[in-house]
Amino acid sequence: MSVVTVQLGQCGNQVGHELFDVVCADAQDGQRKAYSTASCERFFHQTTHGADLVARAVLVDMEPKVINQSISRAAKSGRWRYGETSHFSQKQGSGNNWANGYCVHGPRHRDMVEELVRREVERCDRLAGLMAMMSVAGGTGSGVGTYVTQCLRDIYPSTFILNHLTWPYGTGEVIVQNYNSVLTLAHLYKLSDAILVHENDTVHRICSQLLNIKHISFGDVNRVIAHQLGSVLQPALTADSHGVYSRNPLGELVSSLACHPEYKLLSVSTIPQMPSASIAYSTFSWPGLLKHLRQMLISNTKMEEGIDWQVRPTAGSERTSSLTAPSFNTSLANLLILRGKDVYSAETGAFEDPALYTSWLSSQEAFNLWKSPVPFNKYEKSATVVSNSQALLRPLDNIVGKAWNMFASRAYIHQYVKFGISEEDFLDSFTSLEQVISSYSQLC
Amino acid sequence: MTQSVVVQVGQCGNQVGCRFWDLALREHAHVNKKGLYDEALSSFFRNVDTRKSDSRACGVGGRIQHLKARAVLVDMEEGVVNEILQGPLREVFDSTQLLTDVSGSGNNWAVGHMTYGSAYREQIVDKLRKAAEHCDCLQCFFLIHSMGGGTGSGLGTRVLSLLEEEFPEVCRIVTSIYPSAEDDVITSPYNSVLAMRELTEHADCVLPVENQSLVDIVNKIKQMSHSGKPGSVIKRDSAIISGRGGLSGPEKPFDAMNNIVANLLLNITSSARFEGSLNMDLNEIAMNLVPFPRLHYLVPSLTPLYTLADVSVPTRRLDQMFSDAFSKDHQLIRADPKHSLYLACALMVRGNVQVSDLRRNIERLKPSLPFVSWNQEGWKTGLCSVPPVGHSHSLLALANNTCVKPTFMELKERFTKLYRKKAHLHHYLHVEGMEQSFFSEAVDSLSSLIEEYHHLDATKRRLMPDAPRLPIAR
């Protein structure tokens, strides 16, 4: 079954392009036929004549430069390309203004975008779901992206919609990024089935400390995000798929992780991550990988360096609020995805420890496992955990806190009011997110 | 890709504008090797085939036939515009873009604003409209003028309010040259304060530039080139102070100073014209840097101001560029932003600089730069991959900072000195349409602007507690 991706704004288009690059290279990397076929079917469609792989993607941006770049780079790769008419852009961007994106650009171009998505959806034999990729800091990805998600929810009420969000660096890329983030998250929470988040700060650290990149560019950051996302979305054998590659990846992801409407924030951690030159010289063992990954999860370290081994699961009654003291990261549900050699021998019992989870679900229900015997993206063995846990609580709280501080002085509000977002709308969004923060803090 | 129209008013405005067009052509010539009329060029130039009878514009993608600047040139005396039309840039403008008169404004804001403003209103609107119609998607008007004279100051601000009336959705970015204290025009404080009120009310962003700062910078550069320090030879044809390599011939006295301002405009628009990994459009500048509608005065600082002879760029040089941008010597007004309060700051980087370099420098500089409590991370960043001519990278910092307060206070003081004695007032009041209330309202507007900056300054020393969060029922 196929996934249609909607790439929104500069970030969404740049990351989306890297994702298709990664999955295409991985699928064609001398892999086994079933895996290759499933992967290509999921992300590409083949033109009637020739072996051309065309991405199942719709590219949307309010200014043309990034889309043009993505399309030409894909074509240059020679392995896959974007559809010629699958993109939509305007001349003038959204000016980092969520209100401009959501109230002006979104409605103005609704019909065009819906048409492009509809065409892509109709090309699929069976639709597994829609994935919208965007950042939350700017104006188009965040504002237009939210509006488009709303439209898609209206048109496809029973389709799974996954939003992949890139959160900006904490020390500012865009001054009003916290406002844009708050408005986006509050709205998406009501529309999306699950919200998968990557933070620029975390990925940047992975690039510098694990991948040893000296001069980190956005390209490097985007490739790491694409690698992690690819390791989640490439074909895998799930509990429900009965020995063949799952035909319902988004559905299974959502149903295993986002089981309560108040809890939709998902984080991703993948190990190992190392410079590609070193991969050939390293050996990995499943016990080693799984031990590290589990500790990363419970100590909320998003990369395999500086893991705090002191953090241990505690009994539920002893857990303190996780906003005040760094402590154990309680999970609501986890999805572990193992890819590579000897995957059937991997012992995952440690992830089923009830101490990791809240008391509402039994650990058998809270823990889910997918496997694939095919190595992913050159790593002989790799393990990914997609987690619905308190991992994003602190970053979310920071964003809301900073936005609230700015709102208290009413700075920049006139820019939003100009396009149709009122102070009331801001207050509603703040209220929704405070509710989410409260819910996650109380997980125990 | 969007287009911008430059409106140059008065002697200073036209001279700076002239330098801008020269440098813009040079920059595009440097980058555009194939002679095709591309999107980047179309942001400031039209491509016209003059052989065709109606001189219609050619679309993007074809060969360059004849480039015409997207500009409107206004002056109430003919000297400067005539010089432009006889100089090497004559092909770049056609007669329909010009508006001139003979007698000048006599350094009188009222004459510029009221007399000429009314007399030429129709023509001005007409020319602006034509320029706008030639654009596919007009994003911004750049107004260049000086504050101290009569035409640039008076007629320029009249044009500004016309722009707001006729094109309310198009951003208005104004580059205003403020007179130095020793300005030889005695009434420059009157003209400046009267113009300030218009800027506060009708502009989206103002980039104030002080003549004195430009003089200081040019002197410093000349000093550096004569100091003979090893390794510090200035590349002679750097675009920053020299127009050499462009179309114009030998340099005229104000050229070096005007070049700096022209470079400012080039750098602001670079990310909208060329590609990069983190684009920054013009409408993003107003969005991110203007937290309250009237506080839209952005202090520009440009680095590097000279190129060093050694081309290899170790990281230290790059970091030096960032440090320089915040030093007093590189600001284009005489102010010390480090010792005032930042409301917001934008860094527009050009050239081979990566996001990690940007982040590293922001981390490094942040502790020494005081930001207002609700905007501690008030940084807006843009990365454009095309560097300016003659440099491998450059940085333009735009700061919304309370350091403009002393500048405005000084201006108000100079105004008050004259106004108290009613000196030269009759020249203004004789002009039809001008009343004394204009003066008092203008100085009131300036006072309240100073007051607003003062309020924010007062929060600098105080440790502002975080606003209490919304309580949620558990």
Side-chain angles (χ1 to χ4, degrees), chain B residues 39-57:
Chain B
E39 293 278 7
L41 261 177
S42 89
S43 63
F44 277 106
F45 296 93
R46 286 187 295 138
N47 190 20
V48 171
D49 190 352
T50 46
R51 288 169 307 175
K52 298 220 177 71
S53 58
D54 57 355
S55 288
R56 264 186 343 120

Side-chain angles (χ1 to χ4, degrees), chain A residues 304-356:
Chain A
E304 195 189 355
E305 182 135 329
I307 303 178
D308 185 353
W309 291 94
Q310 302 299 330
V311 177
R312 295 252 187 281
T314 52
S317 51
E318 290 168 14
R319 292 190 195 158
T320 51
S321 157
S322 41
L323 276 180
T324 47
S327 64
F328 181 76
N329 179 29
T330 309
S331 302
L332 183 49
N334 285 314
L335 168 61
L336 181 64
I337 307 172
L338 304 178
R339 297 181 183 276
K341 202 167 145 209
D342 300 329
V343 79
Y344 298 106
S345 67
E347 254 307 312
T348 58
F351 278 90
E352 275 177 76
D353 182 355
L356 268 62

Side-chain angles (χ1 to χ4, degrees), chain A residues 47-66:
Chain A
T47 50
T48 43
H49 48 273
D52 238 355
L53 284 176
V54 180
R56 299 188 191 277
V58 174
L59 297 77
V60 178
D61 200 356
M62 290 302 111
E63 56 111 3
K65 293 196 289 284
V66 181

Side-chain angles (χ1 to χ4, degrees), chain A residues 96 171 216 404-405 412 434, chain B residues 288 291 359 380 466 468-469:
Chain A
N96 290 162
T171 55
I216 301 170
W404 183 247
N405 251 342
Y412 300 101
E434 292 287 2
Chain B
N288 282 285
R359 306 228 61 79
K380 166 68 181 159
D466 282 344
R469 300 268 290 270

